[in-house]
Each structure stands twice: as structure tokens, then as C-alpha cells.
Amino acid sequence: MALLPIITAPDPRLKKVCTPVETVDADIRRLMDDMLETMYNAPGIGLAAPQVGVLKRVIVVDVAAEDQPRAPLCMANPELIWVSDDDATYEEGCLSLPEHYGDVVRPAAIKLRYLDRENEIREMDADGLLATCIQHEMDHLDGILFVDHMTALKRNMILRKLLKAKKADKPLASYATA
Ligand code: GNR
Ligand code: NI
């Protein structure tokens, strides 16, 4: 297992539409395991492959409370097959937008289909924080960040601050080519 560096915005890799996984093989399983380790270490409740620079449709999630046993979920090619008419609003954060938070409205409950760590097709229902987190991770696979659900004013305020932070602690050459 390995800790992977997490990419922060602005970065072109966070804007890409990711490629479906053909088979969950040993390489994808290693990616899932490394992503889980990276997520727990951050700490976070979800992580999408593009956040670690891999443009594949892979996500990991664990919304179990800190005092509960771990409940990791590993998914390749997740697809929504139903969403509720009811919406829910959560204050979201993102490891790629560190120290910024904002309210996002999404369907309150979902049904999804995905390939699990053993390459088996699975379906599951989710609501509450789990539904929000899965939708947040699935957005990453299409190059969408939670700030893209907010007003342009709020989004640009956050992205400007993150760009400034990047410029402040990186030499000119590295962000010019990022
Ligand atoms: O750790 C995370 N917390 C979180 C809180 C509310 C809604 C979504 C999330 S996901 C985030 C980790 C992350 O950036 N995943 O992409
Ligand atoms: Ni995120």
C-alpha cells in the first residue's frame, strides 16, 4: 500500500472526463487500496482517482463515524440508475479544494450500479451522507468539483484563493506547466 499525492485545484487533471475501467484487475485493485489508504490518511470520507492523477472511473468511499468499524466501498464505473425527487443540502468539502466549504443541493437518495473490487457487478441504494459523498465522487469522474454547483461568484472566489496559495508555495516554473 502507498500514500498517493492529492492534486489540488486549479489543475487541468481535475477537469477531465475519466475513462471507464475495462476489468477490475490486480492493477485497479492496487489503485483502490492505495486510494483508501490515502483517503484515511487525509482524512476524508471519499476519494476519486483523478484526485491522485489517474484519469480512470474509480472511486472509494467510507462514511463510517470515527468510533465505528471501517466500511470501505471500492467502485469502478459507478452509474446512477435512479435518483429521488427529494433533494438534500450538505455542506461539502473536497480534498482538492482544501479549507473551503459550501452548501450543495443534490438528490437525497440514489440507486447505483458499479463494479466492485472483485470485478462483480453490484447495485446499491444510498441516502444521507453516503448518497452525497458518492455523487461528489462521481462528479470528479466527469471533471466536476463541488464549487461547480455553486454560484460563479463563490466558485471564483475559492479558485482564486487556491491559485494564490499555489503560487505562494511553488516556484514559478512548476505551476506554469501544471
Ligand atoms: O472528505 C470529504 N468530505 C466530504 C464532505 C461532504 C461532502 C463530500 C465530501 S467528499 C470529501 C473528500 C473528497 O474530496 N472526495 O472527493
Ligand atoms: Ni472531492
Side-chain angles (χ1 to χ4, degrees), residues 11-18 50 55 57 139-144:
D11 188 295
R13 291 167 289 182
L14 297 173
K15 307 288 291 177
K16 305 277 192 213
V17 175
C18 297
L55 301 183
R57 303 188 78 82
D139 268 357
H140 276 298
L141 304 182
D142 290 320
I144 296 166

Side-chain angles (χ1 to χ4, degrees), residues 105-160:
V105 181
R106 302 181 187 274
I110 58 176
K111 194 182 276 286
L112 68 153
R113 183 178 297 138
Y114 60 96
L115 286 175
D116 72 10
R117 203 177 166 286
E118 276 70 52
N119 197 48
E120 301 283 346
I121 296 180
R122 297 252 200 175
E123 287 185 7
M124 78 172 280
D125 298 313
D127 61 11
L129 182 60
L130 180 60
T132 290
C133 186
I134 290 170
Q135 291 175 83
H136 172 118
E137 303 316 331
M138 289 179 66
D139 268 357
H140 276 298
L141 304 182
D142 290 320
I144 296 166
L145 300 173
F146 83 76
V147 290
D148 295 320
H149 294 282
M150 299 168 60
T151 65
L153 184 72
K154 288 182 183 171
R155 174 167 61 253
N156 291 334
M157 201 140 60
I158 291 173
L159 292 175
R160 264 200 310 274

Side-chain angles (χ1 to χ4, degrees), residues 51 94-95 136 140:
Q51 294 181 278
C94 181
L95 295 170
H136 172 118
H140 276 298

Side-chain angles (χ1 to χ4, degrees), residues 8 27 32-33 38 56-58 62-63 72 80 82 84 88 95 105 120 125 128 131 134 143 150 152 158 163 171 177:
T8 58
D27 286 349
M32 288 168 162
D33 293 345
T38 302
K56 293 186 176 162
R57 303 188 78 82
V58 173
D62 188 341
V63 298
L80 294 178
W82 174 83
S84 62
L95 295 170
V105 181
E120 301 283 346
D125 298 313
I134 290 170
M150 299 168 60
I158 291 173
L163 181 60
T177 56

Side-chain angles (χ1 to χ4, degrees), residues 79-110:
E79 289 175 74
L80 294 178
I81 53 178
W82 174 83
V83 299
S84 62
D85 291 332
D86 292 17
D87 289 332
T89 305
Y90 271 90
E91 185 174 54
E92 299 197 11
C94 181
L95 295 170
S96 297
L97 301 163
E99 293 165 45
H100 293 277
Y101 304 89
D103 281 350
V104 179
V105 181
R106 302 181 187 274
I110 58 176

